[in-house]
Amino acid sequence: MRKSTFLAVPTLALGALTLAAAPASAHAEDMWSSQATLNTLNNSGTTGDVMVDVHGTEATVTMNVTGAAETFMDGPFPHAQHIHIHGQGTCPGPEADADGDGVVNTTEGHPSYGMIGTSLTLEGDTSPDSGLAVDRFPGGSAYTYERTFELDAATAEALQSGTAVVVVHGVDPAKMPAAAAEKMSDLDPSLPAAATLPAACGTLTASQMGAMPEGGADTGVTQETGSGAETAALGGGLLAAVAGGAWALRRRAARA
Ligand SMILES: [Cu+2]
């Protein structure tokens, strides 16, 4: 009896060690994920969420979008969508409306979210060159998007530094001030302003696993990060185990 009690302690300890060590074997620098909640811009009513799972040089982007503009010239309203980079990593507020027309157009949002790093197209090229390839973007009032593609270095860097921002474009002109709706796009003078107006925006935030400094899981000691006080209080090893487990669950769900 005394012996079994004695044995139970090292078994538990070993279990805890195994849990804590698991994320380390996944190489945080090779596999990580970021996520964003997409909030409405320009009174569009569009919302959604985004998950970016990075595995080496590949990224799988999963998005759910609802409340988007439905039709455009009798077809589904195309929604250009991008990962913007090299800005402040934020979504613009109404004060970004520099010309005072009642909407924050794409150009006016650039200081906040930056330029296009990746075009989240359905097929083909994902570079900034495809930023307005309206025939290769999802469309309609609600959609789910999932695509795996080669992640470019600039977008990867922005994801890791927390300055990557997902923007979904295209707003129902009926929801725009009349004068703004009559304008042509600031990006392409052959398109109406409504086609490229930002409709939803969210900053991609690395999950705890991705934010963990290299080697953090090995020692069980969490080094200083942006939320250092909080992670230290929770305990590095436990947090790593929880974050790793949640990530694995999401991967399984995504593959199903
Ligand atoms: Cu964009």
Side-chain angles (χ1 to χ4, degrees):
M1 197 154 178
R2 194 174 284 175
K3 187 179 176 185
S4 66
T5 307
F6 180 74
L7 277 172
V9 176
T11 305
L12 275 173
L14 184 63
L17 273 175
T18 308
L19 271 174
S25 65
H27 292 294
E29 69 274 26
D30 292 329
M31 270 197 233
W32 41 280
S33 59
S34 299
Q35 50 201 316
T37 298
L38 299 176
N39 295 309
T40 293
L41 275 185
N42 289 317
N43 195 37
S44 69
T46 307
T47 56
D49 54 74
V50 185
M51 171 72 68
V52 181
D53 286 313
V54 179
H55 187 174
T57 59
E58 281 196 334
T60 297
V61 174
T62 310
M63 286 176 76
N64 295 294
V65 174
T66 58
E70 188 167 10
T71 52
F72 179 76
M73 295 175 74
D74 298 328
F77 199 114
H79 293 291
Q81 49 181 25
H82 316 113
I83 300 175
H84 285 250
I85 63 172
H86 293 163
Q88 293 165 11
T90 59
C91 294
E95 71 283 357
D97 176 18
D99 65 5
D101 65 354
V103 295
V104 176
N105 67 28
T106 300
T107 309
E108 289 170 335
H110 280 158
S112 302
Y113 47 62
M115 307 302 283
I116 298 171
T118 296
S119 298
L120 298 171
T121 52
L122 293 164
E123 58 182 11
D125 176 59
T126 58
S127 80
D129 293 344
S130 294
L132 289 176
V134 287
D135 56 333
R136 287 190 288 118
F137 284 111
S141 61
Y143 58 89
T144 296
Y145 169 89
E146 180 170 339
R147 186 171 178 197
T148 299
F149 54 88
E150 196 74 16
L151 189 64
D152 69 282
T155 302
E157 188 278 327
L159 281 167
Q160 288 185 306
S161 65
T163 56
V165 180
V166 173
V167 180
V168 174
H169 302 260
V171 176
D172 183 342
K175 293 185 173 175
M176 298 169 63
E182 284 165 13
K183 289 184 182 179
M184 298 312 283
S185 167
D186 51 317
L187 301 181
D188 181 344
S190 73
L191 293 171
T196 61
L197 194 68
C201 177
T203 301
L204 285 159
T205 309
S207 70
Q208 196 56 47
M209 182 178 163
M212 185 178 297
E214 198 175 334
D218 292 329
T219 59
V221 175
T222 304
Q223 294 160 32
E224 276 303 311
T225 63
S227 55
E230 205 176 330
T231 51
L234 281 165
L238 177 63
L239 192 63
V242 171
W247 183 85
L249 277 174
R250 285 200 300 273
R251 291 291 297 183
R252 276 198 292 278
R255 282 173 179 161

